[in-house]
Amino acid sequence: MNHMPTPLTRADEAAHPRDFIAQRAEDTLIELTRIGPRVVGSVANEVTTVQFLRDEIEKVQAEANERFEIEIDVQQASGAYMHWTMVNMYQGIQNVVVKLSEKGNPNENYLLINSHYDSVPGSPGAGDDGSMVVTMLEVMRVIAKTDEPLAHSIVFLFNGAEENPLQASHAFITQHKWAKNCKALINLDSAGSGGREILFQSGPNHPWLMKYYREVPHPFANTLGEEMFQAGLIPSDTDFRIFRDYGGVPGLDMAYIFNGYVYHTKFDRVNVFPRASFQHTGDNVLALARALANAPELDDTAAHAEGHNVFYDFLGWFMIFYTATTNIVINMIVSVIALLAIGVSLYFMSVRSGCSISGVLVRFGIILGIQLVSLGLALGLALLVALFMDGVNRSLSWFSEMWLLLGLYIFPIIFGMSILPALYLERTKKDPLSLGFRVQLFMHSHCICLVLLIIVLTALSIRSAYFIMLCVLFDIVALIVNLVTKWHRKAYWFAIVVMICQILPFTYITYVCTAALKTLIPMQGRSGGSANPDLSMALLLWLFSVMFVGFLVPLILFFRKTRTIVLCFLAGTILFIIIAVTDAGFPYKPKTSPQRYALIHAHRILHNADGTTRTDESGIYVYPQDRRFSIAEKEIKTIGQLHKVSEFCDEEMFCGMPLYNHRWHKAREYSFWIPIKEQPEIPAAYPTLTLQETTELDNSMQRRFNFSLAGPDHMTIFVNVKNDAKLLDWSFNETLIKDNEPPPYFVYFSYGLDKSALEFSIDVEKTTSSFDTPTLEIGIGGHWVHYDMQRSKGLGAYIDSFPSYAYLQAWVGTYESWYF
């Protein structure tokens, strides 16, 4: 899991002229992160970083081989699109775009490589995504310096607004002059800091891409990651979706996933990013860039669209991939062979034991029923532990100590899977069917359960069913070997074959399980407070346990004191629960695994229809990002009287709060508003919304409202209609209107270099009342997300009152609403 290549240094460059030099990338990242947080709209992002990239690209130009030409274009663009449930609008954001071409090459089909140089507020963004930016720079340098052909140009897109989210990639793929020529994509992002980058999305519908990824020196890829990501189980998004949905560009989506504890925090620094990770990623991206830039498929990618892939690496040694259709065929063949082999085994049991075939089948039916109940019991016990831990406010106890999951969930799962079989065998000691045969029946029953699972998952088009297929395949190999050698007749010999045949699947499944846990555990610290994360861990570990210990648990039944051994797992569970509820199970650690909060010191003003003010107050908006928010309840309450944000939602549009994006509204039940006397020190003028004019449309019951909005570079616009009014159209993205989505509507707006006022219009119609009554309600949230030095003293004091293990992403803001 942690095996990494030896990183090359500058001293190695002369001996490795065609290779990626990790130290060069690291040195460049050090310089990039010295700029500090690179937030859209800040000088650091819009001026300093853009100039930094231009300087680095010019260095590449100076070293480039004469066969290549390098073109630089700094794109500035405005636009809008739907991001989940909100309109995502941008103005004057930037991209630094570089095209590396072989001189005189007329081919107009390009390879696109993308990463983003902006970062979230407060974070230096070393891992996300500075590491990938400098990787691209070094890949560009190596390719440009060597004298090797390039059948297709490579477009290196350094995009300047991914965290907003995904605005710059939308600007490029919908507006840039080179966008229509980009036929394949390598997307580079990060949800962690270091480790091995994983390929977690491919295509879609372009299996030929995996032919080239298979040749990279350090493969790490899995269909499971793709399906989890596309099912929304990962609380992130990448530019890959924008290129796919708005440009139809097939590609490969790669990201760092380990050490997600520092992701989007001030601890995402160069000193926690290992140099070996640069070498791992650089070797892979360089190999991919060379291969895809010379791939004939780029000349007609549509001709190679053949459906989804199933893909996975084996311990980082090699890649296996095949089409989804092939996956169905393999799953069904393995399932049929499994059923036939089990049938043959049952027949030989009958012949060898003297029991009638009907007697063996009856016993097998009983054992199959016990096995199904045991699997349900195992899941039930794991979920019960999860509910208990959450009920006593001890969820996430494994957040920093992954080993606690072993006792909290794997132990009760093994206990649940083995206690009923142990009791059954204890009560059937005098059964004419030998102990060895009865243990084999439990293995066969588990295989039947997995075959049923394969059939269900395959029918649901879940490609990750290949995991179950591998487990069944190796069990059937063991069964066939035992039948051929007749070792199935001997009490213990068949068990040796089973254990030998389980080595590969056990190793592989635990390898993937470890990767999944190292990825998902840190994510539970930013997945919100609505769901119990222990339930997710319990379900995940049950699924993996069914695969990697399902055929080994029955071997416990050979021991004389089986029930005692099984009860030890129950005792171990109790012991681990006790450990987990003590200080040993405290989830957080300063700097390495902090607890996250978003905090806004805000001033909100809500106006009535006659222009008077019904609410004028300042307060602290607290958005806890995990389940254990009550752990800092004492510190939060010292600020003032606590109110759930949801308390205001029935009376006010979007709760009358300065929500930063649509996720904050979804978390309203687990967020807090704390009124305080001290007003925030706003760095500039409050957002100004001006009604410029109203014009009558087709009839007296339809009007257009024209507005102008000026304010900080991050604002939210909330729009609602009142008194039987209907929103006919507006100048924002029209998706919500076309889809007849009910108001209120959420518009996220940000700008980069272009600070001009936003002009927009809204068309409404009234059917049962006149325009003398309020028609529109508009709220404007202002967010000064990158003005750290201008926070009020009070805000600093509130931040300092939080415990050392808490990480607060804090800024000042405003919210004001009006009726028109």
Side-chain angles (χ1 to χ4, degrees):
M1 182 57 60
N2 299 311
H3 177 72
M4 304 288 282
T6 302
L8 297 178
T9 66
R10 289 179 181 268
D12 300 315
E13 188 172 346
H16 298 271
R18 296 185 68 257
D19 294 335
F20 186 95
I21 306 298
Q23 188 181 16
R24 273 184 173 272
E26 182 182 62
D27 291 345
T28 308
L29 183 60
I30 291 171
E31 295 301 317
L32 176 62
T33 54
R34 279 178 181 164
I35 297 172
R38 303 172 298 281
V39 182
V40 170
S42 67
V43 173
N45 192 68
E46 308 305 331
V47 178
T48 312
T49 304
V50 170
Q51 187 58 50
F52 172 85
L53 290 170
R54 294 189 73 124
D55 292 344
E56 292 298 318
I57 295 162
E58 286 173 4
K59 293 177 186 178
V60 175
Q61 283 179 311
E63 293 185 43
N65 189 285
E66 62 180 10
R67 76 182 296 160
F68 296 114
E69 61 178 348
I70 297 177
E71 301 175 63
I72 306 174
D73 181 58
V74 179
Q75 179 193 18
Q76 188 179 149
S78 302
Y81 70 99
M82 285 300 301
H83 185 69
W84 293 324
T85 59
M86 73 178 185
V87 175
N88 193 2
M89 190 170 188
Y90 54 90
Q91 176 177 290
I93 58 92
Q94 296 185 97
N95 286 311
V96 179
V97 194
V98 182
K99 185 172 74 166
L100 175 64
S101 309
E102 192 168 345
K103 291 179 181 177
N105 185 351
N107 195 305
E108 295 186 352
N109 299 305
Y110 307 156
L111 169 67
L112 174 64
I113 306 179
N114 172 74
S115 66
H116 67 93
Y117 60 82
D118 67 314
S119 69
V120 296
S123 174
D128 181 32
D129 194 27
S131 59
M132 292 302 193
V133 168
V134 300
T135 295
M136 280 174 54
L137 286 169
E138 178 63 8
V139 166
M140 184 197 308
R141 186 193 70 84
V142 175
I143 294 177
K145 190 175 180 180
T146 54
D147 186 12
E148 296 181 8
L150 211 59
H152 304 92
S153 299
I154 303 177
V155 173
F156 293 87
L157 171 59
F158 302 92
N159 92 61
E162 189 269 353
E163 301 290 3
N164 264 39
L166 315 181
Q167 293 173 346
S169 55
H170 182 269
F172 173 82
I173 203 63
T174 58
Q175 300 177 49
H176 197 271
K177 59 184 179 181
W178 294 330
K180 66 180 183 300
N181 302 99
C182 295
K183 304 301 181 181
L185 163 73
I186 301 174
N187 189 59
L188 304 173
D189 210 332
S190 178
S193 182
R196 302 161 63 200
E197 87 290 342
I198 187 171
L199 170 64
F200 64 99
Q201 292 194 91
S202 170
N205 300 317
H206 286 264
W208 63 271
L209 288 163
M210 293 306 302
K211 178 178 68 175
Y212 294 99
Y213 182 82
R214 181 175 58 186
E215 303 303 322
V216 302
H218 320 295
F220 185 36
N222 204 289
T223 294
L224 177 64
E226 179 174 79
E227 293 193 316
M228 291 178 66
F229 195 89
Q230 294 176 356
L233 301 178
I234 306 297
S236 295
D237 204 351
T238 76
D239 290 315
F240 183 88
R241 182 174 67 83
I242 300 299
F243 295 123
R244 178 195 69 198
D245 294 352
Y246 292 92
V249 183
L252 303 171
D253 200 5
M254 303 160 67
Y256 292 114
I257 55 173
F258 296 160
N259 195 19
Y261 297 108
V262 302
Y263 170 75
H264 282 190
T265 73
K266 65 180 180 181
F267 308 116
D268 184 11
R269 300 169 179 157
V270 178
N271 62 339
V272 299
F273 193 94
R275 182 182 288 181
S277 291
F278 285 118
Q279 197 66 52
H280 189 281
T281 306
D283 289 346
N284 286 345
V285 175
L286 181 58
L288 266 177
R290 283 175 169 148
L292 291 176
N294 290 288
E297 289 88 350
L298 258 66
D299 290 319
D300 188 5
T301 55
H304 300 277
E306 302 176 32
H308 285 294
N309 262 332
V310 174
F311 58 90
Y312 50 96
D313 73 290
F314 185 79
L315 308 183
W317 293 346
F318 56 87
M319 281 295 300
I320 298 172
F321 74 95
Y322 41 85
T323 66
T325 302
T326 303
N327 183 54
I328 294 172
V329 173
I330 292 174
N331 289 351
M332 293 303 101
I333 289 175
V334 169
S335 298
V336 169
I337 293 175
L339 295 175
L340 291 175
I342 289 173
V344 171
S345 177
L346 295 179
Y347 171 76
F348 280 120
M349 282 184 191
S350 171
V351 172
R352 182 68 182 175
S353 65
C355 289
S356 64
I357 187 64
S358 60
V360 172
L361 289 173
V362 168
R363 288 169 174 80
F364 183 54
I366 294 171
I367 287 175
L368 178 60
I370 293 173
Q371 184 66 17
L372 287 169
V373 174
S374 296
L375 292 176
L377 177 62
L379 176 60
L381 289 173
L383 297 177
L384 182 63
V385 172
L387 291 172
F388 173 79
M389 295 301 295
D390 188 59
V392 297
N393 199 25
R394 290 298 186 273
S395 61
L396 287 168
S397 60
W398 33 264
F399 185 64
S400 298
E401 306 293 343
M402 193 170 78
W403 57 271
L404 282 172
L405 290 170
L406 177 69
L408 287 176
Y409 297 113
I410 294 181
F411 280 9
I413 288 169
I414 294 177
F415 172 77
M417 291 173 65
S418 54
I419 185 62
L420 294 180
L423 292 174
Y424 173 79
L425 292 181
E426 189 177 277
R427 294 176 181 274
T428 56
K429 289 181 179 179
K430 297 181 180 180
D431 194 290
L433 205 61
S434 68
L435 176 63
F437 281 157
R438 282 178 288 152
V439 171
Q440 288 180 62
L441 287 180
F442 276 106
M443 290 184 173
H444 294 345
S445 65
H446 187 68
C447 186
I448 293 291
C449 293
L450 293 188
V451 167
L452 294 174
L453 192 55
I454 289 174
I455 294 171
V456 171
L457 294 178
T458 303
L460 294 174
S461 299
I462 297 177
R463 288 165 285 145
S464 298
Y466 84 87
F467 281 107
I468 314 294
M469 181 275 296
L470 290 176
C471 297
V472 171
L473 174 64
F474 282 92
D475 177 63
I476 294 309
V477 169
L479 177 56
I480 292 173
V481 170
N482 276 317
L483 289 173
V484 171
T485 59
K486 300 183 180 179
W487 287 347
H488 68 289
R489 301 178 180 180
K490 301 178 181 179
Y492 303 107
W493 278 94
F494 87 89
I496 295 173
V497 177
V498 169
M499 287 188 288
I500 291 174
C501 288
Q502 285 298 311
I503 290 174
L504 280 179
F506 181 90
T507 304
Y508 176 71
I509 299 297
T510 52
Y511 162 76
V512 176
C513 181
T514 303
L517 291 174
K518 291 181 73 172
T519 302
L520 295 175
I521 287 175
M523 288 181 179
Q524 303 310 306
R526 54 186 176 90
S527 295
S530 59
N532 177 2
D534 278 60
L535 289 175
S536 302
M537 288 297 111
L539 179 59
L540 180 71
L541 288 170
W542 176 79
L543 285 170
F544 276 109
S545 297
V546 166
M547 290 185 277
F548 70 73
V549 299
F551 292 111
L552 299 178
V553 163
L555 300 181
I556 298 173
L557 305 177
F558 275 123
F559 291 91
R560 293 185 178 180
K561 295 184 180 283
T562 301
R563 185 166 50 169
T564 302
I565 295 171
V566 171
L567 289 173
C568 284
F569 287 102
L570 179 60
T573 302
I574 296 171
L575 174 62
F576 271 74
I577 290 174
I578 294 171
I579 295 173
V581 299
T582 66
D583 289 342
F586 187 76
Y588 313 110
K589 294 180 181 178
K591 298 183 179 179
T592 57
S593 49
Q595 185 182 32
R596 301 167 184 247
Y597 296 86
L599 187 149
I600 306 177
H601 187 185
H603 183 204
R604 66 187 194 118
I605 305 171
L606 310 179
H607 299 286
N608 294 314
D610 60 3
T612 59
T613 300
R614 67 178 180 277
T615 301
D616 185 346
E617 66 176 358
S618 296
I620 302 292
Y621 190 111
V622 182
Y623 170 32
Q625 295 185 28
D626 73 17
R627 185 72 164 182
R628 289 286 289 273
F629 54 85
S630 61
I631 207 168
E633 188 173 359
K634 180 180 177 181
E635 287 80 4
I636 296 175
K637 284 185 175 179
T638 59
I639 301 174
Q641 185 178 1
L642 211 64
H643 296 274
K644 282 187 176 182
V645 169
S646 58
E647 294 177 17
F648 304 91
C649 297
D650 290 338
E651 298 177 0
E652 302 292 347
M653 172 180 60
F654 285 109
C655 310
M657 293 290 168
L659 306 177
Y660 185 60
N661 60 42
H662 54 94
R663 283 182 175 173
W664 289 43
H665 186 243
K666 292 178 180 178
R668 58 192 178 275
E669 191 66 30
Y670 301 93
S671 301
F672 306 101
W673 173 254
I674 309 168
I676 60 173
K677 293 182 179 179
E678 183 182 9
Q679 284 196 15
E681 295 181 10
I682 302 300
Y686 281 33
T688 303
L689 179 67
T690 304
L691 176 60
Q692 295 178 314
E693 64 174 350
T694 60
T695 56
E696 192 171 295
L697 299 179
D698 294 341
N699 57 63
S700 60
M701 302 307 290
Q702 296 180 351
R703 285 189 184 179
R704 172 169 294 166
F705 293 77
N706 293 293
F707 294 95
S708 176
L709 174 64
D713 45 49
H714 288 73
M715 290 186 282
T716 49
I717 306 168
F718 306 146
V719 178
N720 198 10
V721 288
K722 310 297 288 185
N723 297 315
D724 301 315
K726 179 182 179 182
L727 204 157
L728 298 175
D729 198 5
W730 62 3
S731 56
F732 300 127
N733 180 279
E734 60 187 9
T735 304
L736 291 172
I737 310 297
K738 280 189 172 182
D739 293 348
N740 292 316
E741 294 291 338
Y745 300 137
F746 195 129
V747 180
Y748 178 95
F749 173 66
S750 64
Y751 59 79
L753 284 181
D754 185 356
K755 300 180 180 181
S756 60
L758 172 66
E759 310 285 341
F760 65 94
S761 63
I762 301 175
D763 298 348
V764 294
E765 179 182 51
K766 278 197 170 182
T767 54
T768 59
S769 61
S770 70
F771 282 97
D772 294 334
T773 58
T775 304
L776 285 174
E777 181 183 11
I778 298 181
I780 304 294
H783 299 271
W784 284 263
V785 296
H786 54 83
Y787 289 79
D788 291 346
M789 301 306 294
Q790 300 187 46
R791 293 173 183 164
S792 65
K793 294 180 180 178
L795 179 58
Y798 299 136
I799 292 173
D800 293 340
S801 70
F802 275 75
S804 61
Y805 58 79
Y807 172 70
L808 276 73
Q809 191 181 58
W811 60 82
V812 294
T814 62
Y815 178 75
E816 194 166 3
S817 69
W818 303 265
Y819 288 103
F820 298 95

